Amino acid sequence: MKISDIKDPFVEARQQKGYAQVSDQDDPVTMMLRLKDVRKCAHNAKTFSSEDIPGRIVVPSEVNIRTTRQIPFEVDPPKHKGFRGLLDPWFKRPLEDDYKQKLHSIVDKLVTENLAGNSVEVIKEFSLVLQSRALTLLLNTPFEDSKLWISWGTHVFRSEGDALDGDKAQVLYDYLDEKLDEALANPSDDLFSVLLGAEVDGKKMSKEEAKGVLILTFAGGRDTVINAVSNTIAYLADHPESLQRLRDEPEIRGRAIEEFIRYFSPLTHMGRVVKEDTQVCEHAAKADTRISLCWASANRDETVFENPNEIVLDRKLNPHVGFGFSHHNCLGATHARQILSTLIDVFCEKVSTIDLLDAQDNIEHWDDFDRKVGYENLTVKFNKA
Amino acid sequence: MAKITFITQDNESITLEADSGSVMALAVENGVKGIDGDCGGVCSCATCHVHVNPSQVAQAGEASEIEADMLELSDNANEFSRLCCQIEITQDLDGLELTVAN
């Protein structure tokens, strides 16, 4: 077994029952584990709702640390469509040439800086820095803003050893209030101002709604991107032949990115609230209880994926749900894909091999299931090409 | 060289020519509205959904089980639906007409 391997802890439960039950702060969760079930539940927004008390659909629940509704992902269709219609064009900007060039420059500079040194601790010195600097492009804010975001660490809601940290979350909320007030006083072309100036379904967006979009942007794309980047680096360090193959066959890089997302599944699962008594996998699901859509398990479903526990760099058919599925699929997916794509391009150009010096896994605990989601520490050395 | 015509939801008709690659890639490279191809063509995002002209279903071929499973939960799906990332361009496709589903 290699250090970068990520095991599938859900295999037995998925094969035997198709679901599992875990406890979460006195509000238990029934996890859906099979790909088709996950997709069907994700698509059935009437029975499995995202619109409940703010924070409840997230697992672990965030009801104790926020009252602001995250938009659009805590809004059900049809209302969801108006918000998504407003946000999609903005979040697709990473496909524009100008954006790509700026992102390339950010990644190239960071990799080049770290080629000179002996070693780099990837989580805090590379992935967090990359995520924060890239976020300035997504928000269209000054590059310098990234320094403050980097100082917050890898989580905006969590601190070391604490599942959820209300004080820490408050730092983000205070920051967003301040930035939104600034944007109200002096509108610019950043996302803060764009949201405050926007109308959805003929109604002006409120400050609270804008804040909800921004909390999602900061929190949803933080540890997920950090884990995706860090896991990719660990894998390429463990598999120098794969880095060489990506260098030799640029045409497979797009498929490799989708395969990394499938295999790593940066977000383990996302919850829904059951709106009416129903059944999931022949198991009763009562109204006002929660289920979760376990992307990580679905992405290893052996009835769909051949060799699900291997990274097949050029996997042609890859119907993964690493970015979710249906209405609420990941708003930041275009940005995340562009970050990974740029990172691989720069590595292929500038890095010959990556030495893996030290790694400590980051394990999530869900009752009977321990799932590796990334690393607490990952120290590597980038060797010049 | 196969000529393929895309009809967008705005009723714009675009005819493109190619001799290899996927129909999705051809559409994305030429900016056909409504074909995003977010996942690059691995059958994961369903953003390349088209309806094949009913008289040309045999020409386009049948969806695989994995593709059909994706289509089952896609908006606007019908018996003529395909994900065009799964249609490889060959000379046999010449004259194919596809209506963009979204």
Side-chain angles (χ1 to χ4, degrees):
Chain A
M1 184 170 162
K2 290 187 182 271
I3 287 171
S4 63
D5 288 353
I6 297 180
K7 282 195 218 161
D8 169 20
F10 305 107
V11 57
E12 281 177 29
R14 181 176 61 242
Q15 288 173 353
Q16 288 168 12
K17 291 198 299 185
Y19 69 94
Q21 285 174 295
V22 295
S23 57
D24 175 26
Q25 303 164 74
D26 300 323
D27 190 4
V29 179
T30 303
M31 300 171 80
M32 307 308 304
L33 301 177
R34 294 174 181 154
L35 180 73
K36 285 187 186 179
D37 293 331
V38 164
R39 276 193 191 153
K40 280 184 180 164
C41 293
H43 193 64
N44 184 357
K46 274 195 175 154
T47 307
F48 304 108
S49 169
S50 297
E51 195 166 326
D52 201 80
I53 307 164
R56 191 177 177 208
I57 62 161
V58 187
V59 188
S61 167
E62 293 170 1
V63 292
N64 294 322
I65 60 163
R66 69 175 160 93
T67 54
T68 300
R69 178 172 303 282
Q70 290 189 10
I71 294 174
F73 102 125
E74 288 179 325
V75 179
D76 280 334
K79 205 165 49 173
H80 168 266
K81 197 174 179 182
F83 288 113
R84 191 71 194 233
L86 163 74
L87 295 167
D88 271 342
W90 182 274
F91 281 80
K92 290 259 185 189
R93 286 159 49 253
L95 295 173
E96 294 169 7
D97 285 341
D98 182 48
Y99 194 111
K100 283 184 191 170
Q101 278 172 17
K102 286 178 182 163
L103 185 58
H104 189 276
S105 158
I106 285 173
V107 175
D108 189 87
K109 185 166 178 288
L110 185 63
V111 170
T112 304
E113 280 167 9
N114 283 291
L115 274 173
N118 287 324
S119 68
V120 53
E121 196 290 297
V122 170
I123 310 301
K124 293 185 184 64
E125 294 173 11
F126 191 92
S127 302
L128 168 64
V129 175
L130 172 54
Q131 191 275 337
S132 297
R133 290 180 180 175
L135 187 61
T136 63
L137 295 179
L138 191 62
L139 269 56
N140 205 21
T141 53
F143 182 79
E144 290 66 36
D145 289 3
S146 60
K147 288 179 186 162
L148 175 67
W149 307 337
I150 292 166
S151 76
W152 291 343
T154 51
H155 292 279
V156 288
F157 288 157
R158 300 179 198 185
S159 53
E160 300 295 328
D162 225 340
L164 295 166
D165 184 336
D167 292 340
K168 196 164 182 193
Q170 196 58 48
V171 173
L172 173 66
Y173 306 153
D174 291 345
Y175 170 78
L176 294 179
D177 282 333
E178 192 184 313
K179 293 293 285 185
L180 286 165
D181 286 339
E182 274 175 32
L184 277 170
N186 295 300
S188 68
D189 54 359
D190 62 16
L191 183 59
F192 300 92
S193 305
V194 167
L195 292 174
L196 290 170
E199 275 190 9
V200 173
D201 295 332
K203 190 169 156 271
K204 204 165 178 340
M205 209 165 189
S206 69
K207 186 182 161 190
E208 179 71 2
E209 287 172 335
K211 192 174 165 185
V213 173
L214 290 159
I215 294 174
L216 176 63
T217 308
F218 271 90
R222 186 105 168 153
D223 54 337
T224 47
V225 168
I226 290 170
N227 286 335
V229 167
S230 305
N231 281 320
T232 300
I233 292 172
Y235 168 78
L236 294 175
D238 254 351
H239 297 269
E241 75 287 356
S242 292
L243 181 54
Q244 186 59 42
R245 189 171 172 206
L246 291 168
R247 196 171 359 249
D248 294 342
E249 299 175 57
E251 67 277 10
I252 68 163
R253 290 178 195 171
R255 284 185 198 157
I257 288 163
E258 298 306 314
E259 178 69 343
F260 291 152
I261 295 296
R262 179 192 73 84
Y263 183 83
F264 303 145
S265 293
L267 181 68
T268 302
H269 57 168
M270 179 55 70
R272 297 285 189 268
V273 173
V274 180
K275 294 311 264 189
E276 57 198 13
D277 287 356
T278 185
Q279 284 197 329
V280 287
C281 298
E282 298 171 355
H283 169 76
K286 291 266 182 204
D288 200 39
T289 63
R290 292 191 297 167
I291 65 162
S292 85
L293 313 170
C294 187
W295 320 118
S297 169
N299 281 341
R300 301 292 182 98
D301 189 329
E302 51 285 303
T303 66
V304 179
F305 300 99
E306 273 182 48
N307 302 322
N309 299 310
E310 284 176 30
I311 288 189
V312 180
L313 277 185
D314 61 349
R315 196 182 283 274
K316 285 183 185 140
L317 267 176
N318 196 347
H320 70 81
V321 285
F323 286 120
F325 186 76
S326 199
H327 325 281
H328 288 287
N329 65 10
C330 177
L331 182 63
T334 309
H335 180 67
R337 283 181 165 119
Q338 204 60 54
I339 287 176
L340 288 177
S341 170
T342 311
L343 184 69
I344 287 170
D345 288 349
V346 172
F347 278 164
C348 286
E349 190 190 337
K350 299 226 154 144
V351 176
S352 61
T353 53
I354 303 169
D355 298 334
L356 216 167
L357 303 178
D358 186 43
Q360 187 191 349
D361 290 347
N362 176 2
I363 309 282
E364 286 181 350
H365 303 286
W366 305 102
D367 286 2
D368 294 340
F369 308 103
D370 291 335
R371 176 174 188 255
K372 173 175 167 179
V373 68
Y375 299 87
E376 297 286 353
N377 295 290
L378 177 68
T379 306
V380 304
K381 181 174 182 294
F382 297 120
N383 299 308
K384 275 186 196 173
Chain B
M1 199 62 91
K3 273 189 186 176
I4 299 168
T5 299
F6 297 89
I7 300 164
T8 68
Q9 288 289 302
D10 303 338
N11 234 357
E12 190 187 355
S13 179
I14 304 154
T15 300
L16 300 167
E17 285 185 82
D19 52 19
S20 64
S22 82
V23 173
M24 181 279 289
L26 177 69
V28 170
E29 280 161 20
N30 290 280
V32 175
K33 197 177 169 190
I35 304 281
D36 292 343
D38 290 345
C39 75
V42 295
C43 201
S44 148
C45 68
T47 61
C48 64
H49 182 182
V50 292
H51 295 137
V52 178
N53 180 327
S55 68
Q56 296 175 308
V57 167
Q59 195 178 351
E62 275 187 25
S64 68
E65 189 184 342
I66 284 179
E67 183 187 334
D69 283 346
M70 286 293 291
L71 285 165
E72 189 190 349
L73 299 177
S74 295
D75 289 342
N76 309 324
N78 65 24
E79 61 194 297
F80 308 113
S81 287
R82 290 290 314 267
L83 295 178
C84 64
C85 70
Q86 299 301 306
I87 308 177
E88 276 296 308
I89 297 175
T90 66
Q91 187 56 40
D92 295 344
L93 294 191
D94 191 40
L96 188 66
E97 192 178 283
L98 304 168
T99 303
V100 179
N102 296 309

